[in-house]
Amino acid sequence: MTTYAGIALALALATASAGPLAAPSRGPAPAAPSPVTSTLPSTVPGLAWSACGPAGLGQECATLRVPLDYADPDGRQVELAVSRIRSTEPAARRGTLLVVPGGPGSSGVQRLTSKGPALKKELGGAYDLVAFDPRGVGGSSKAHCGLAEQDRHLVTLRAWPAADGSIDENVERSRRVAEACARNGGAELRGLTTANEVRDMDRLRQALGERKLSAWGSSYGTYVTARYAQKFPHRTDRVVLDSSADPDPRKVAQGWLAGMARGADDRFPDFAAWAAHPDRAKDDLRLAERPEDVRPLVLDLAARLDRQPKTSTTPGVPLTGNLLRQALQNALYSDGAFADFARLVRQARTDGETPALPPALAGPMPDSDATVTIGVICNDVKWRGSVPAFRRAVAADRAAHPLTAGMPVNITPCSFWKASPAEKPTRITDDGPSNILMIQGLRDPSTPHSAGLKMREALGARARLVSVDRGGHGMYLSNGNACGDHTVTRFLLTGERPAADVTC
C-alpha cells in the first residue's frame, strides 16, 4: 500500500514542496495524546486561494489550519497545503472530488498536479478537483525524528534481512529509529495518524463550504477514505477506492506490509514476460529467451550481489542484493518502470559496466519524509510479535517468497515504539450508504487482489468491485484499462455502478 509497505515509493520519488514548517518540540519519550472527545466549531473559516502549479492547468493553492490535537480544537494549529482545480462549467458542476493520496507520505497536491489533466478530460466540469498534503508531507507542517542518514535510505527504512537471513541488524536499527523518534518527534509526530487525516478531511470539507464530498482514494488513501466514510457516512457523495488492502483493525499496516510478498509473486510474471519478449533485444534489454528463466536469473543475481556488492555510479552506495530487490519492488508498480530495472540487471551482470542506481535508491530521504513514513503506521496500532517470532516469520517467508526475501514480515521501528496508540483503529463495516465503487488490479505488487477482497467483504452492500486484469499499483487513469476507467468515470458522472461485482 503506499505505506512503509507500499507507496513509500511515491514518497521517495516525490520532491517535497516548500511550505510552512511547525518547529518540532524535543523532550523525553512521548506519552500518548488524550482520546479525542471535543468537537470542532460549527463554522470553519474559508480558504484564501492563489494561482499555483503548471501554466494552463488552472490550479490554485491555499493553506488550511487544523488543530494539532483535536482534543484541544482551539489550541495550537498546524497548516496543511491545499490545492484545487475549479470547474469551469458552473452548469455542469455537481460538487467537489477530493483526491486522496497514498503513503503514508505521498503528496495530495502533487498527485492533483499530475492527475489533474486526465481528471479534467474524463470528468469535464462535473467537479472542483481538490487535494491536500497530509500532515508531515510536502507543503504541510512537518515532524522530525532526527534520524541518522544511514537510517533514511529506502532500502534501510524497509527491513530487508541480511544475506544469511539474520535480522539482528534490523532489530538494532528499529530500536535506534524508535528511540530517535521518541526523543525528537514531540507533539507533531504524535499527531501523524490516520484518524487525524480523516478529521482533517472533514475540516477541509467545512472550509470548502460543501455539505458532502466525493473522493478518489488510492492505495493507503483507500483506507483513509474508507475510514472517512465510516466516521462521516452521510457526508460522502460518490466514493472510489482504488487499490485497497485488508482493513483488519488488529493489523492495519503490519498486514499491508506482509501482503507485499504475495503481491510481488502475483506481479512478477508480467515483468518476466516483458523481459523475455523478442522486442526487448533491439534495446539490449532482453534478459532471457523464455519468461520462466527470468525469475531464477534475477534471484541468482541478487544472491551474487549479497556475496559481493558491485560499485555503482553513486559514490558510497554500492549495488547490493537487497538494493536490487528493492529496485524490483519499485519497478513492479508500473510497466513503465520495467525498462529501467532490466537495464540495471543487465549492467549488474556485465563485467566492466557500472550500474546506475534509480534516483529513489541513490540517496537518503529527507528526515521529515522518513518521519511521516514511519510515524503514521507506528502511531495507528500496536504491532504484534516478539523478536524470536519475527525471526521465525522471516525464515518461513524467505523460503516461500524469495523475491521479497522476508522483508514484508520483518521487524520495524513500530515494535519498539514508545507511545501507545491514542485511539483504537476503526473497523470498516457495511453500515452506511451504498455509494462506494472499488477498483482493484488482479496483479498488484503492493495491495494484492486477495487483500482488496477483504476490504470488499468489510464494506458489504455499500460497495461494488471492479477487478481489472492488469498488473501494477493504481488502476484508474494509470495502470488500468479502458473498461475499468470507463466504469469509474461513469460512476463519478452519473452515480451508476455495476449491478454486481465485475471483471474488466
Side-chain angles (χ1 to χ4, degrees), residues 223-237:
Y223 179 64
V224 176
T225 304
R227 285 189 58 167
Y228 184 86
Q230 190 72 34
K231 185 175 180 64
F232 303 112
H234 299 294
R235 296 176 190 170
T236 60
D237 187 7

Side-chain angles (χ1 to χ4, degrees), residues 201-213:
M201 284 174 62
D202 204 58
R203 181 82 163 190
L204 176 59
R205 177 194 63 79
Q206 295 173 64
L208 293 169
E210 295 284 8
R211 187 172 62 89
K212 293 184 176 184
L213 285 176

